[in-house]
Amino acid sequence: MNCPFCSTHIEEFVFAREGQFRAVYNIAPIFPGHTLIVPEKHIASLLELGENEVTEMILFSRKVTAMLLKVFNAEAFDWSVQDGDIAGQSQAHLHMHIVLRYPGDLPNPGDWYPLIQQNYGEILDSALRPKLKNSETERITKKLREKAGEEGLFEF
Ligand SMILES: [Zn+2]
């Protein structure tokens, strides 16, 4: 199975974890703070989660978002799940984007959505967006892990 979220490589970018969900930093962020919430198990759709898992995912996502807003000094965010090929899902492993928003970041608030679609199968990456240097990714992940640890969102 060639799933980036099931490979051990992904752990390098995991900065928070609670129950069955992980927060993964996007190495080609649309804007600083761009994170993916990903279940441990390989399931494709939000509809495959049980009710308790949906609750767990939303509560975890909300805590991670609140933390990211503080760390990156942002005030607004978008959440997005592409569920199914027709909806633009690039990997058959459920993931939700958390995209932090900044004043004047785009001409129109809705312009972020096409940027999500620039992944072309590379879940954490985009040929069209600048990729962070390894040292930069390490620095951000380390900082986020420390912060997540303080907030009890880092279970390893
Ligand atoms: Zn997977």
Side-chain angles (χ1 to χ4, degrees):
M1 183 164 50
N2 189 20
C3 173
F5 292 140
C6 291
S7 87
T8 53
H9 182 58
I10 198 80
E11 291 298 324
E12 286 175 44
F13 311 111
V14 172
F15 65 84
R17 185 193 301 277
E18 194 173 66
Q20 305 177 55
F21 294 91
R22 299 165 289 176
V24 182
Y25 199 72
N26 195 312
I27 58 174
I30 291 176
F31 300 118
H34 185 179
T35 291
L36 303 170
I37 301 295
V38 188
E40 300 277 355
K41 64 180 174 182
H42 186 86
I43 57 161
S45 174
L46 191 63
L47 301 180
E48 293 173 56
L49 294 178
E51 289 191 359
N52 290 342
E53 292 169 316
V54 172
T55 304
E56 199 174 78
M57 182 174 176
I58 296 296
L59 292 178
F60 177 60
S61 301
R62 194 173 69 158
K63 285 187 256 186
V64 169
T65 301
M67 186 189 109
L68 289 168
L69 291 172
K70 276 190 274 179
V71 170
F72 289 91
N73 196 24
E75 291 175 12
F77 61 91
D78 288 294
W79 281 8
S80 177
V81 174
Q82 288 78 38
D83 205 304
D85 291 344
I86 297 166
Q89 185 171 17
S90 55
Q91 291 291 338
H93 189 137
L94 173 64
H95 56 282
M96 187 178 81
H97 293 264
I98 299 171
V99 180
L100 301 191
R101 302 299 304 274
Y102 299 88
D105 56 9
L106 292 167
N108 297 297
D111 291 349
W112 70 283
Y113 192 76
L115 299 175
I116 289 253
Q117 302 304 104
Q118 288 182 350
N119 281 23
Y120 295 108
E122 295 289 340
I123 203 69
L124 278 169
D125 204 343
S126 169
L128 299 178
R129 292 199 301 268
K131 198 164 151 180
L132 298 175
K133 289 182 191 146
N134 287 344
S135 58
E136 182 69 356
T137 305
E138 279 172 29
R139 190 186 66 77
I140 292 171
T141 307
K142 186 168 179 282
K143 183 178 176 183
L144 290 173
R145 282 179 179 170
E146 285 168 5
K147 189 73 186 163
E150 288 167 19
E151 310 227 351
L153 289 175
F154 194 49
E155 296 174 4
F156 277 90

